[in-house]
Amino acid sequence: MSIAGFFRAVLPGLVLFATLTYAQDHRASDEALVNRIKDAVIRELRKSGELDRAVDSGIGRYLERQRAEAEQRERREADARTSKLRPVSKSRDHIRGNPAAPVTLVEYSDFECPFCKAFHSTMKRLVNESNGQVNWVYRHFPLDTLHSKARKEAVASECAAELGGNDAFWKFADRFFELTPSNDRTDVDTVLPRIAREIGLDRARFASCLASGRHEQRVADDLREANATGGRGTPWSIVVSKNGKTYSLSGAQPYAAVKQLVELARGKQ
Amino acid sequence: MTRAGHLTDLGVALGRVFVHPAYVLLAGALAILTFLLAVLVPNFGLISEIFADASVPMAAKLGIALSLLGGIGTNFSLLSAGYTVAIAILFGLTVAMIAFSIRQRSIGATRRSIALGSGAMLSGVLGIGCAACGSLIMGAVVPFLGIAGAVAMLPLDGQEFGILSVALLFISLLLVSKNIAESAACALLPDGGDQGF
């Protein structure tokens, strides 16, 4: 701003201040005079462009503050969600691929969801083609309001794991998604014993495990965790890098998208 | 008015509006924007996180965002992918024609078109939300309204909202077309003369 401009902008303010002081000292409450002076000051500020510049700069600062706050809020929420993600445990979790891989993809899935069925194939391909760079952890997210059979099927998969270990769990999941049509159209009374037989489990012990309900709590825990980490639908996935950085992915996204996200996480060593 | 009359109006109106490149651009931009929003909304958090991370190369940012667009083929059923594309195109056309109508100052039926179009978009949001298992909208809004069970009982699991949205947008488009087509004609005066514009 030029010196002349500065004086043009400040002078009316000084005049107003002096006038008001004078008026107060002499108890002369001439409101009309004060208003006229105010108008003159505002007119002068407008003419010099100072008012516009001050408003522009105020709006700019406000928008910048809003943007920074939104970014911080997003980061805080992401951190909060990440903190809700239970660390992967070899003894509890079902892990496919190299357990020491630099990237882990934790999937929360529903056995009756058609998109989970499609995503299951995507994930198999990803792990098979990753050369040990990514492993896949399967957790349960049965959507009871949409798929009333999904919870029982999740419990059945846990029975498979109890009786046959990690391999049996994955054989069960692969075969289940191959055989069933999704959207709650599975005949569980036929399909579950059939898969148990096909993957070499003791059918009587499998049926007994299923009837006991002892894995229901685990499924409920997984479901609660899926919600806490931000899951609103299935499949819900969280890609975790070696240094703990996480990326949440919603839905059955294409192979190319998941692969690029895994590559991004690999870079976060 | 007959079905043929509506379609004639639609043809006349499309011809009048989209002879102007600006309206073609507006309709195209809105259709693309609507499509992008529909496909990318579930992963907005991920996209904004990646784009805000200065350590991620721009090529990787764009690569992930573009590859997520492939979700239209993997994360949508055939029906929901179809109505998502239809909603995007109809929305672009309807808004461009409403804008044309407003600029021509012929706003008679335009208000109804705007009201119908707004309802259609709300329904479309629910329809797109119902496309996946759960989804952002279903997860956040529907349980809050206490109608999750009701939506699950619908034969198409809520995809009915998407179909409704296409129907409402189409009616809205016909209304605004009628408005534009009529404003192009000369109205007959009671004494047999005609009133030019």
Side-chain angles (χ1 to χ4, degrees):
Chain A
M1 189 198 298
S2 67
I3 294 173
F6 175 78
F7 277 110
R8 257 208 317 277
V10 169
L11 198 58
L14 290 174
V15 170
L16 175 65
F17 177 75
T19 309
L20 288 176
T21 309
Y22 178 82
Q24 196 181 24
D25 284 352
H26 293 80
R27 299 175 189 280
S29 57
D30 187 350
E31 281 187 23
L33 175 64
V34 172
N35 286 337
R36 273 204 306 279
I37 293 169
K38 272 185 189 169
D39 289 344
V41 171
I42 289 169
R43 245 193 334 270
E44 192 58 39
L45 283 172
R46 278 199 182 129
K47 213 165 84 185
S48 68
E50 269 306 298
L51 197 59
D52 286 347
R53 279 193 288 277
V55 169
D56 287 351
S57 137
I59 290 173
R61 280 199 306 273
Y62 173 76
L63 290 176
E64 181 56 35
R65 216 165 40 238
Q66 292 287 97
R67 198 190 58 75
E69 281 172 11
E71 236 173 55
Q72 276 178 359
R73 197 167 47 242
E74 178 72 35
R75 206 170 297 129
R76 271 199 308 273
E77 283 171 7
D79 289 346
R81 285 197 301 269
T82 303
S83 69
K84 300 275 174 24
L85 179 70
R86 181 172 47 78
V88 175
S89 147
K90 273 187 200 171
S91 59
R92 186 192 189 274
D93 281 308
H94 310 300
I95 306 172
R96 188 167 188 153
N98 174 16
V103 177
T104 294
L105 189 146
V106 181
E107 183 200 2
Y108 292 89
S109 184
D110 172 322
F111 277 113
E112 285 296 333
C113 167
F115 302 103
C116 298
K117 181 182 164 106
F119 196 61
H120 198 79
S121 302
T122 304
M123 282 306 302
K124 276 203 287 190
R125 182 179 164 200
L126 186 78
V127 172
N128 289 343
E129 294 180 2
S130 76
N131 294 321
Q133 295 302 302
V134 61
N135 64 48
W136 172 19
V137 171
Y138 189 106
R139 291 177 185 170
H140 303 289
F141 192 179
L143 302 173
D144 296 320
T145 52
L146 291 174
H147 310 130
S148 61
K149 295 174 181 171
R151 197 179 279 254
K152 184 175 183 180
E153 292 154 2
V155 169
S157 70
E158 290 304 324
C159 286
E162 178 193 311
L163 300 174
N166 192 54
D167 281 353
F169 171 85
W170 288 105
K171 281 180 187 165
F172 177 95
D174 291 352
R175 194 68 183 126
F176 187 92
F177 280 124
E178 276 168 19
L179 284 177
T180 59
S182 305
N183 282 331
D184 245 11
R185 287 175 293 168
T186 305
D187 179 357
V188 284
D189 295 334
T190 309
V191 167
L192 298 182
R194 176 181 165 184
I195 297 174
R197 191 189 68 239
E198 282 183 10
I199 64 175
L201 301 179
D202 180 324
R203 282 179 69 182
R205 288 177 64 202
F206 180 77
S208 155
C209 170
L210 204 51
S212 74
R214 60 177 170 266
H215 293 296
E216 280 171 12
Q217 188 54 49
R218 179 202 171 118
V219 173
D221 289 345
D222 279 4
L223 173 61
R224 199 168 34 252
E225 189 185 298
N227 280 314
T229 55
R232 293 289 175 268
T234 52
W236 167 245
S237 309
I238 300 176
V239 177
V240 188
S241 74
K242 197 84 176 167
N243 72 355
K245 171 79 182 149
T246 61
Y247 298 99
S248 303
L249 185 68
S250 180
Q253 298 305 331
Y255 174 79
V258 188
K259 189 167 186 285
Q260 288 185 68
L261 204 53
V262 165
E263 288 298 322
L264 185 63
R266 262 188 69 198
K268 301 277 178 186
Q269 299 289 345
Chain B
M1 182 182 273
T2 62
R3 194 185 305 162
H6 283 305
L7 291 179
T8 308
D9 281 350
L10 179 61
V12 170
L14 286 173
R16 279 197 71 195
V17 176
F18 294 110
V19 73
H20 305 286
Y23 290 102
V24 176
L25 278 178
L26 177 65
L30 284 172
I32 290 170
L33 191 67
T34 309
F35 178 78
L36 291 180
L37 280 174
V39 179
L40 298 180
V41 144
N43 284 301
F44 261 175
L46 172 69
I47 292 171
S48 55
E49 186 183 345
I50 288 172
F51 273 82
D53 187 343
S55 69
V56 179
M58 185 49 78
K61 291 175 182 177
L62 291 175
I64 290 171
L66 287 175
S67 61
L68 284 171
L69 288 176
I72 188 72
T74 56
N75 201 37
F76 286 66
S77 65
L78 195 60
L79 174 65
S80 61
Y83 68 62
T84 299
V85 172
I87 287 171
I89 294 170
L90 284 171
F91 181 69
L93 290 177
T94 307
V95 173
M97 289 173 78
I98 287 173
F100 178 87
S101 192
I102 289 171
R103 287 204 67 183
Q104 299 297 305
R105 306 257 193 279
S106 54
I107 55 170
T110 306
R111 285 199 191 100
R112 269 182 295 161
S113 295
I114 292 171
L116 269 177
S118 309
M121 286 321 286
L122 186 66
S123 175
V125 167
L126 279 174
I128 290 163
C130 292
C133 291
S135 87
L136 195 73
I137 306 298
M138 290 285 279
V141 180
V142 172
F144 177 72
L145 297 175
I147 56 167
V151 168
M153 284 170 72
L154 291 170
L156 298 174
D157 289 335
Q159 292 185 83
E160 289 85 350
F161 289 113
I163 298 167
L164 176 69
S165 175
V166 172
L168 289 177
L169 276 171
F170 192 66
I171 295 170
S172 173
L173 188 66
L174 289 180
L175 277 175
V176 75
S177 296
K178 183 170 177 277
N179 207 30
I180 292 169
E182 281 177 354
S183 71
C186 298
L188 283 173
L189 289 174
D191 63 359
D194 67 342
Q195 174 70 63
F197 286 90

